Amino acid sequence: MKVFLDKIPFELDDIIGTVIKLVVIIVAFSIAVPLGKKMISATINKMSLTRKTKASRIKTLDKLLLNIYSYVMIFIFIGTVLSLFGVSIGPLIAGAGVVGLAIGFGAQGLVSDVVTGFFILLEQQMEVDDYVTVAGIDGVVEEIGLRTTKVRAFDGTLNYLPNRIIENVANHTRGNMRALVDVGISYYNDVDQAIGVLERVCENFQRDERFKDGPHAIGVQSIDGTNVVLRVIGQVENGLQWECERDLLKAIKVAFDEANIELPLNYQVIHQQEQLG
Amino acid sequence: MKVFLDKIPFELDDIIGTVIKLVVIIVAFSIAVPLGKKMISATINKMSLTRKTKASRIKTLDKLLLNIYSYVMIFIFIGTVLSLFGVSIGPLIAGAGVVGLAIGFGAQGLVSDVVTGFFILLEQQMEVDDYVTVAGIDGVVEEIGLRTTKVRAFDGTLNYLPNRIIENVANHTRGNMRALVDVGISYYNDVDQAIGVLERVCENFQRDERFKDGPHAIGVQSIDGTNVVLRVIGQVENGLQWECERDLLKAIKVAFDEANIELPLNYQVIHQQEQLG
Amino acid sequence: MKVFLDKIPFELDDIIGTVIKLVVIIVAFSIAVPLGKKMISATINKMSLTRKTKASRIKTLDKLLLNIYSYVMIFIFIGTVLSLFGVSIGPLIAGAGVVGLAIGFGAQGLVSDVVTGFFILLEQQMEVDDYVTVAGIDGVVEEIGLRTTKVRAFDGTLNYLPNRIIENVANHTRGNMRALVDVGISYYNDVDQAIGVLERVCENFQRDERFKDGPHAIGVQSIDGTNVVLRVIGQVENGLQWECERDLLKAIKVAFDEANIELPLNYQVIHQQEQLG
Amino acid sequence: MKVFLDKIPFELDDIIGTVIKLVVIIVAFSIAVPLGKKMISATINKMSLTRKTKASRIKTLDKLLLNIYSYVMIFIFIGTVLSLFGVSIGPLIAGAGVVGLAIGFGAQGLVSDVVTGFFILLEQQMEVDDYVTVAGIDGVVEEIGLRTTKVRAFDGTLNYLPNRIIENVANHTRGNMRALVDVGISYYNDVDQAIGVLERVCENFQRDERFKDGPHAIGVQSIDGTNVVLRVIGQVENGLQWECERDLLKAIKVAFDEANIELPLNYQVIHQQEQLG
Amino acid sequence: MKVFLDKIPFELDDIIGTVIKLVVIIVAFSIAVPLGKKMISATINKMSLTRKTKASRIKTLDKLLLNIYSYVMIFIFIGTVLSLFGVSIGPLIAGAGVVGLAIGFGAQGLVSDVVTGFFILLEQQMEVDDYVTVAGIDGVVEEIGLRTTKVRAFDGTLNYLPNRIIENVANHTRGNMRALVDVGISYYNDVDQAIGVLERVCENFQRDERFKDGPHAIGVQSIDGTNVVLRVIGQVENGLQWECERDLLKAIKVAFDEANIELPLNYQVIHQQEQLG
Amino acid sequence: MKVFLDKIPFELDDIIGTVIKLVVIIVAFSIAVPLGKKMISATINKMSLTRKTKASRIKTLDKLLLNIYSYVMIFIFIGTVLSLFGVSIGPLIAGAGVVGLAIGFGAQGLVSDVVTGFFILLEQQMEVDDYVTVAGIDGVVEEIGLRTTKVRAFDGTLNYLPNRIIENVANHTRGNMRALVDVGISYYNDVDQAIGVLERVCENFQRDERFKDGPHAIGVQSIDGTNVVLRVIGQVENGLQWECERDLLKAIKVAFDEANIELPLNYQVIHQQEQLG
Amino acid sequence: MKVFLDKIPFELDDIIGTVIKLVVIIVAFSIAVPLGKKMISATINKMSLTRKTKASRIKTLDKLLLNIYSYVMIFIFIGTVLSLFGVSIGPLIAGAGVVGLAIGFGAQGLVSDVVTGFFILLEQQMEVDDYVTVAGIDGVVEEIGLRTTKVRAFDGTLNYLPNRIIENVANHTRGNMRALVDVGISYYNDVDQAIGVLERVCENFQRDERFKDGPHAIGVQSIDGTNVVLRVIGQVENGLQWECERDLLKAIKVAFDEANIELPLNYQVIHQQEQLG
């Protein structure tokens, strides 16, 4: 506290000098920062032309470098301004004792963020525009920073996730996906007939280009309290799984209607009984 | 304990002198604090006129600076009053041993708050008036302080959230949002007819200015125990998604009524059976 | 252990002297403590007359000062008595080694309590008589102490909450609240008619003084398995939201009865079917 | 290990001497301990006659002092016996290094217990015979010790709770309690008539001495899928809330039967429909 | 590693000598250990004859002493064998640095076990043969060791619980227990009649020796969606509560059958309705 | 990093020499390791013949010793290879500073594993082939290592459990088990008749050798919303409880069918009612 | 900060020199890295031909060595580049004080990853292509790295799991698996007849090569509210359990249809009752 008070520039000269310096610094930075950002983007773009890297990788690197650049500049700025007022960061950070301890514990989350972020980038666990599930959030990656990852959810919400809460990265944009449809039929239908109908539906889809490994009706998945569940699975191009599942569902519904196969409503068998009580 | 007792001013002169000093300090602060607050607000407002910053950013900065100013003044005040009684904060904080350890651990939450708050502000994860979900609370941001963020929930409740419990910031005010409506129809309806009706409803809304990417009926989402679910999605301007969903729902209900398409009540197929027992 | 045993006053003189001293201390404290409490309350009350502070703020400060005063007195008392037996607290607390470590960890909760309590008070997150939700407890604040906050639940239970378990303070006594009523109607009713009825009900309430922003029927909120849900919302004076919701509900029920609009019972559409099995 | 082995008294004289000393110590303690307990109880009882303290407070203090006394005696006993074998506790506890560290961490729970227990007692959060909810256990407090609190649950189970797992003390024995009864009526009943019946029932109870603030029918609490819920609340003397709620419930049931108001059974509206499939 | 390798006895003489010593040690211990166990049991049994201690307490002490004895012997054995190979435990445990730190943290659970176990025994929170609920396990205590408590569950499973996971000890073998029976009747029954029947059933049981405080029908506990719940409670001897509840249930069922009072089946009131759609 | 780089053998002689040494070491170990394993197994088997230890205990020891032997050999191997490249493990582990700290914290799980494993083995909480529930996994123990325990689940999955996640060991292979069957009957059946039938079923099973304490029908366990539950329990030989329960169930079902006692279907009492609305 | 600024090469010569060096390093690494990878793969493949190791083990080792090689190269690269700018990593990591503390805590997750990964590999808990459940993720292992394990889920999602979140490894590719089918039949069916049908179905499958221990109908598993559950189990070759269960289910459904055995629909016994109310 005392240190701080001593440094307050009570004399007019000091104040004017400090203000002028402050203005100069602010002007310098407000010119330097956007300039640097343009240079980074330009360099990245040029490199991306001469090399044959994936577009998503380029995007990831572009955003990452801008992100790191911003942090470095902001910290240099804060350091410069503070040194203007005679406060140097070094000893403040290195200060042992209670303050240092508290800072050490408090900043530990920050280090975790950076370590996790570093390995996400190094191991290319995700790239910008990948569709992922991280920390319980489904969505498309917008930016992977050293400290924070931005994920745009399906409904348009933008999530800012500190990297340390990202444990398992479930990346849905790596290789083909499976389309899986479970349909229940009522107990009173013939199972073989129903599977036959499903197989005819599948044959049509096997000619569909979106399917890499044509859908197959693989049999009776389960028999539960209300229906006999049949399963159809196939392998489709990445990103088309939902569309394919919707098309399969509609085709099956139509085919079942034609074949007079019932979907499992709430059947109830009624025993009309004499009063016993 | 002993230190404290020694400092209790038992002699009358001391008491009078201390009281006078105390009064002077209180008066000084009660003049200085509101003055400083006005100056900060005035400066911010002037700057906001000459520069082309977003209104929400200005608001955020205004509230943040007032917040920081309050903390600084209160700590200077406490330090001044304590020094009046001969207690200096420095050694008390830096004190090693058990007390220091306990304080270090106890204050660790405080440092976490400030570190998290600093990055929320630096990365502009949210601004005042944004609609966000943080730490399980939905609402509009009222103030982002270094230690605490205030979020006004929809029902009017004001939430004070220490920044450290904010992990994932889900910001619903960044870009267009998706309006999504799922409607179930009964098994006995014709799926193609129903989708046709939905498409006609969607066409009307596509001319609606609120929709950036007109609503589309994308097909059969699922078939569950009681109904066939059809999905309609579209992209709308930020903040209008609920209104648009309500309007879509009403239009679909009316259109289904006209087209005699049933919504999925609890159907029950009854098998009247002879008593077997 | 040894230190303690050495201090046990085995000689009679010592015992008598100690007992006398003990009695004097107890008498002194039992006079001083209530006196001090009265002085604090009196001072607070006087100040509250000359200044224009909120009543709840005065109450909060009054209880807080009494609370701090009690702690200080009890610790001075314990210190005095222990020093009578030759035990001084200082080294015991500062003692490094295992005991110190254990105390440091054990007392860490205590420091957390005080730090959290300090900021709750400083940031005025709640005052005495506010209706809040903290640490999963709904209720009216009875006292905010440095270590413990007392909250009276609706059923009369008094909750003692150590401040450290208070993370999010949800304060329901800051500004107007929203009254929100969702009513479901059956699929067979006309949606437009029902909304019309709701709007007439709302018009009556808009003249009600309790409503700051008159209730409006905002449309079809959702269509679920059993009903079409319509929503009415309005802004009311703080504390009157439950009463207003009850009155709205009753008025809507009566209006729907008159307009012959059905509430959503468990409809069941029965298909009498031949036995297939 | 080595220290221990060296101390094993291999020579006969030592063994006999040690055994004799051991017997003397055991005899001394087995006389001293019950004597001390009686003295403590007697002193407490005498004090309770001359002073006007609450009976529950006296009980709490009595049990607490006996509890602390037991701990002190057991530790003195252990210390004495160990010193007999040449083992002194001091260095063992203060021993730095791995053992010390492990003990420090392990014993931290013990310190937490004592710190929490101290504040429960100091702030009088509960007394013996209070009905409380602590750490998820409902019951009547039997003893509050420095380390452990005993709570007798309703079914007769005796719970030993280490104080550190007690966070929120919900004390149900501080001031009047609220009796609250929610009754649902079917949609087909007249709401005004039902509220009228409830009010007549309430009037009878308002003359009941147990009610401090007579029960009132406050209106339509909610309308859900199966019924219209009406609420009755009143303030009753502490401990009588369950009895009063039971009596209210019975009176309301009888009054509704007389007034022909239906309780909400599972109504079902049946639409007999032609087979569409 | 190096220390270990140096000690490997490469010369034949060393090997033979070491093997001989090892055999001697193993033989010595395999004679000494069971002998010691018998002596302990014998001493305990003798003491239990001369003193009037509870049988369960004797059992607890017997098993505890054998348990501690085993640990001590095993550690002396390990220490002796290791010293044979030139490895001394002392420095290994006390070793500062990474190994020491890791051991300190890893062994912390062990210390917690012993501290918790010590207080469970000291405060007699449970004895062998008590029926308890600890750490989510219901069962009868078989042994309370310093580190582990063995609990035999109802289905015959033997649970080994490290003492540190025992927080709340819910002891069901301390004093009388309550037998509690809730029976629901249908809305169409007369409440007064049903309570009358319950009271007659209770009168019969009040003469039953197992009931310490005869069962009473205390009234209407609640009215929920399907029935009116009546409650009967009484105080019974420890251990007989389940038996008594079963007998009460059967007697009430029979009495209700005789009095023609219906138990709450799924009533359904059917409104046959014209098709509206 | 630097240390490592310096050691890279850039000169050809060094490289050749190192490679030769490496080959020698690998060959030596690939001969020594399987040899040692065979010797261990042989020794164990011989000992098991001369002594009367349980087979499961022998198996446990056999697998444990092989497990420990593997660890020791692998670490000696790694140590030897590393020393070949001039890296010595000692200082690396003991290295204070950040690396040491990180290792200390990271390795703490390893120490916990070994400490827990040591006590599981010492206290014989489980043996190979025991059927246990540990860390939420049901299955048969395949191996208990110092660090990891292998449990084979019923469906054939092999679980590798680090010992530290094993808290409560629920061992289902210690003594007789209880077979417990709850059967519900409908309200309309005579309770005494049903219990009579159950008793006759039990009598047959009491002559069954698998039952140690013949099954008994102990009465009405509960009356819930849909049925009257009767309970049958008995004590059976370990491992036969599921088989016995299945046989009991089948016998009871057959006996109830013969005695015309109904199992509790979804009864529904229908009140045909006039339209009130 | 200062250190960093001093090192920025302001003079042109330095800049050019540094750039040239940087280019040389990048070129050298971009040649060396892929070369090294090919050498590793080649060596592994050669070794796999001469030795008789499992294919999955070879795959695991191949991917692991490439993974470790990448890490080593990236760290050497970073170290080289940084040393170019005059920053040496050594002191930065070893730096005591706050920064070191924060890094130590933050990097602790990294060490945990490596320690866990090391033991997963050493104990061969899983290999590439095994079907496992780790950290709640079901799928096929694609790569086991020192820090991260990649698991491909059934739907095609690629999961990156930091090794530290892997506690229990449930490996479904170790030995035969059990196929288990539970089928419910209605109360009105004859249990013996149904078991007979199941046994005939099982006999057919016992001739199936996929079954190692032919399926058996083991009896009545349970009787619940709606059905009598019969269980069939058998042991099948690893990986074929789902297929076998599907085939069993279908065969049982067909056999039950032929034998006129009902699957458990929602039976309802209706008591038509006079209005009592």
Side-chain angles (χ1 to χ4, degrees), chain A residues 157-183:
Chain A
T157 300
L158 187 57
N159 291 281
Y160 294 81
L161 298 154
N163 288 331
R164 77 173 161 279
I165 69 169
I166 299 177
E167 295 207 317
N168 173 17
V169 174
N171 195 327
H172 310 299
T173 324
R174 294 279 153 97
N176 293 331
M177 299 297 285
R178 257 204 193 82
L180 184 155
V181 171
D182 276 353
V183 276

Side-chain angles (χ1 to χ4, degrees), chain C residues 21-77:
Chain C
K21 281 185 202 158
L22 196 63
V23 169
V24 171
I25 291 170
I26 290 173
V27 169
F29 270 88
S30 56
I31 293 170
V33 173
L35 216 85
K37 287 195 176 177
K38 270 182 201 158
M39 277 171 60
I40 289 171
S41 288
T43 317
I44 292 279
N45 284 333
K46 234 177 266 171
M47 277 171 64
S48 73
L49 294 178
T50 55
R51 291 209 178 188
K52 49 201 170 181
T53 326
K54 270 203 302 175
S56 70
R57 189 75 190 151
I58 296 296
K59 253 192 190 173
T60 310
L61 279 176
D62 185 11
K63 297 215 167 179
L64 175 65
L65 287 177
L66 291 176
N67 177 279
I68 294 175
Y69 177 74
S70 310
Y71 283 132
V72 170
M73 293 315 278
I74 217 91
F75 282 110
I76 292 177
F77 177 74

Side-chain angles (χ1 to χ4, degrees), chain B residues 127-139:
Chain B
E127 306 280 359
V128 168
D129 285 343
D130 279 7
Y131 174 65
V132 299
T133 304
V134 283
I137 306 289
D138 276 352

Side-chain angles (χ1 to χ4, degrees), chain D residues 244-265:
Chain D
C244 290
E245 286 178 3
R246 276 196 300 263
D247 292 357
L248 262 173
L249 260 178
K250 198 181 144 188
I252 291 170
K253 173 74 175 73
V254 169
F256 273 9
D257 278 358
E258 277 167 14
N260 246 330
I261 294 170
E262 271 191 307
L263 293 168
L265 287 165

Side-chain angles (χ1 to χ4, degrees), chain G residues 11-274:
Chain G
E11 300 187 28
L12 206 63
D13 292 8
D14 279 14
I15 295 179
I16 291 172
T18 308
V19 167
I20 290 172
K21 282 183 203 160
L22 197 62
V23 169
V24 170
I25 292 170
I26 290 174
V27 168
F29 271 88
S30 55
I31 292 170
V33 172
L35 216 84
K37 286 193 175 178
K38 270 181 203 159
M39 279 172 58
I40 290 172
S41 287
T43 318
I44 292 278
N45 285 333
K46 234 176 270 174
M47 278 171 64
S48 72
L49 294 177
T50 55
R51 293 207 178 187
K52 48 198 174 186
T53 326
K54 268 202 306 176
S56 69
R57 188 75 190 151
I58 296 295
K59 253 192 190 171
T60 309
L61 278 176
D62 185 13
K63 298 217 167 177
L64 174 65
L65 286 177
L66 291 176
N67 177 278
I68 293 175
Y69 178 74
S70 310
Y71 283 133
V72 170
M73 293 315 280
I74 216 90
F75 282 112
I76 291 177
F77 178 74
I78 291 173
T80 318
V81 171
L82 283 183
S83 74
L84 203 72
F85 293 97
V87 183
S88 62
I89 292 180
L92 210 145
I93 286 179
V98 173
V99 177
L101 194 72
I103 291 176
F105 279 112
Q108 147 184 10
L110 185 58
V111 178
S112 276
D113 284 342
V114 174
V115 170
T116 309
F118 177 73
F119 282 103
I120 287 175
L121 287 159
L122 183 65
E123 302 178 349
Q124 305 188 17
Q125 297 184 1
M126 48 185 170
E127 305 280 0
V128 168
D129 285 343
D130 279 7
Y131 174 65
V132 298
T133 303
V134 283
I137 306 289
D138 275 353
V140 171
V141 180
E142 292 234 326
E143 184 185 325
I144 308 167
L146 260 195
R147 209 197 76 87
T148 314
T149 294
K150 294 184 200 162
V151 175
R152 174 82 61 181
F154 182 73
D155 70 347
T157 300
L158 188 57
N159 291 282
Y160 294 82
L161 297 155
N163 288 332
R164 77 174 160 280
I165 69 169
I166 298 176
E167 296 206 317
N168 173 18
V169 174
N171 196 327
H172 309 298
T173 324
R174 296 277 154 97
N176 294 332
M177 298 297 285
R178 257 205 193 81
L180 183 156
V181 171
D182 276 351
V183 276
I185 58 168
S186 90
Y187 292 160
Y188 295 107
N189 290 113
D190 187 43
V191 174
D192 283 311
Q193 186 206 351
I195 291 180
V197 171
L198 287 179
E199 270 164 5
R200 273 194 299 282
V201 172
C202 286
E203 268 166 38
N204 291 331
F205 277 96
Q206 281 159 13
R207 275 169 249 129
D208 191 330
E209 283 206 339
R210 299 172 303 181
F211 279 85
K212 295 302 159 199
D213 186 14
H216 298 288
I218 62 168
V220 179
Q221 184 62 21
S222 65
I223 297 178
D224 63 26
T226 55
N227 52 38
V228 176
V229 179
L230 306 176
R231 173 166 286 186
V232 173
I233 57 174
Q235 218 164 24
V236 298
E237 219 169 286
N238 198 294
L240 302 178
Q241 60 267 40
W242 301 288
E243 196 187 305
C244 290
E245 287 179 0
R246 276 196 300 263
D247 292 356
L248 263 174
L249 260 178
K250 198 182 144 188
I252 291 170
K253 173 74 177 70
V254 170
F256 274 8
D257 278 358
E258 279 165 16
N260 247 331
I261 295 169
E262 270 191 308
L263 293 167
L265 287 166
N266 281 328
Y267 269 81
Q268 242 171 346
V269 182
I270 302 276
H271 293 257
Q272 203 85 25
Q273 212 181 39
E274 297 301 302

Side-chain angles (χ1 to χ4, degrees), chain B residues 71 98 137 147-148 152 154-155 157-160 162 246 250 253 265-272, chain C residues 93 119 123 125 167-172 174 177-178 187-188 192 218 220 225 268-269 271-273:
Chain B
Y71 283 132
V98 173
I137 306 289
R147 209 197 76 87
T148 315
R152 174 81 62 180
F154 182 73
D155 71 346
T157 300
L158 188 56
N159 291 281
Y160 293 81
R246 277 196 300 263
K250 199 181 143 188
K253 173 74 176 72
L265 286 166
N266 280 328
Y267 270 81
Q268 241 169 347
V269 183
I270 302 275
H271 293 256
Q272 202 87 22
Chain C
I93 286 180
F119 282 103
E123 301 177 349
Q125 297 184 3
E167 294 206 319
N168 173 18
V169 174
N171 195 326
H172 310 298
R174 293 279 154 95
M177 298 298 283
R178 256 201 195 83
Y187 291 160
Y188 295 108
D192 283 313
I218 63 167
V220 178
Q268 241 170 346
V269 182
H271 293 257
Q272 202 88 22
Q273 211 179 39

Side-chain angles (χ1 to χ4, degrees), chain D residues 9 11-23 84:
Chain D
E11 302 187 25
L12 206 67
D13 291 9
D14 278 13
I15 296 179
I16 292 173
T18 307
V19 167
I20 291 173
K21 281 186 202 158
L22 196 62
V23 169
L84 203 70

